[in-house]
Amino acid sequence: MLRGGNIVAMPSETVYGLAANALDEQAVNRIFVAKGRPQDNPLIVHLSDARQVGEVARDIGGDVQKLAGAFWPGPLTLVLPDKGVVAPNVTAGLGTVAVRVPANAMARKLIEQAGFPLAAPSANRSGSPSPTTVRHVLDDMSGRIPAVLDGGSCAIGIESTVLSLVCAIPEVLRPGFVTPDEIAQVLGRPVRLSAYVEKAPGGKAIAHSPGVKYKHYAPKADITIILSDDDDYYAHMALIQRQNPGAYALCFTEDVPHVPLPSVSFGSREAPEEQAARLFSALRLLDEKGAKTVYARLPAAHGVGLAVRNRLLRAASFRVVDLMNHARGKR
Ligand code: TXA
Ligand code: MG
């Protein structure tokens, strides 16, 4: 199918991807149509081996060698100068190309047997949470794509870390399972975190990673983040229950017995890896339950928690009620 210019959903260790021949503009265009994705949001190019980076990107220096050695195959995407080999709609004409070598063996085998690099965004309809199971893919894409390669549930459950190497200081554009500290340690110098990781891009901001400006990961429900300690969260939820008994809590496993509203948990407070693996399923479950209004907790901003936090903030369109600092309110 891929050789014939078609698109196929494939598993990866992060989330399911919707793949097409990265060298074929028409095939890549089918991805944009099936997802309903804006044309100015570029795609990640998936390779089966780190040695192929030089076929699609220029100026591969020591940083790429170090990072590839430490994290590939795995959930790290590198933004590098484009060589003009992949189709123009893969890179949205940015002059850069994003590449990664997935850890999932089935994905690597698919790329290897296709014989060309695969452009693949997450296999969800544009704007909804990334799919971490075949069922999620089918819920979004049934009738819009010819096939899904079934690799079971995705082990990590949250998309790759996107790191730009085209600026003087390497910049994390999207946090993921590979953390900024781990990257800095391997590079032997500091890395920067994009300002858009923890705040909404202003209308006029030119985003380095076009994806950050779109509403994302959002279920149909309106999500509001509650920043508070445990007791204040429970007290606030009791208040909400009196005002809106149909509301839901999106919370840590430890919170469930203390929350007076129906709740969906996304993992233990102490286990950001578990939260990453469960978050997107939890968001989809809220939709299935018909939740309209959701009040969510936010993990601490370190390690993998930074990535979980980023996805939650974006699912909530950055709507945060801060009970720690006396309800600065919607910001
Ligand atoms: O884990 C993942 O990265 C998954 C699996 C399938 O590999 N893919 C994924 O793709 O999450 P997608 O398209 O949903 O997200 C790719 C992100 C977007 O935010 C996009 O804007 C950014 O990477 N991106 C792609 N190419 C870029 C480039 N040349 N410069 C800056 N950002 C880029
Ligand atoms: Mg996506």
Side-chain angles (χ1 to χ4, degrees), residues 61-79:
D63 285 351
V64 176
Q65 311 294 334
K66 284 185 203 163
L67 294 168
F71 301 115
W72 282 353
L76 175 67
T77 295
L78 300 178
V79 175

Side-chain angles (χ1 to χ4, degrees), residues 176-189:
F177 198 76
V178 175
T179 66
D181 285 349
E182 290 171 329
I183 294 168
Q185 194 155 26
V186 166
L187 290 178
R189 61 196 171 107

Side-chain angles (χ1 to χ4, degrees), residues 25-67:
E25 186 169 8
Q26 275 183 21
V28 170
N29 193 51
R30 292 202 165 106
I31 294 175
F32 286 92
V33 173
K35 278 185 61 97
R37 182 174 175 110
Q39 291 279 347
D40 65 349
N41 194 4
L43 308 179
I44 295 170
V45 175
H46 296 70
L47 309 168
S48 58
D49 193 290
R51 282 170 300 206
Q52 294 157 354
V53 176
E55 293 167 23
V56 297
R58 290 184 290 114
D59 307 337
I60 316 300
D63 285 351
V64 176
Q65 311 294 334
K66 284 185 203 163
L67 294 168

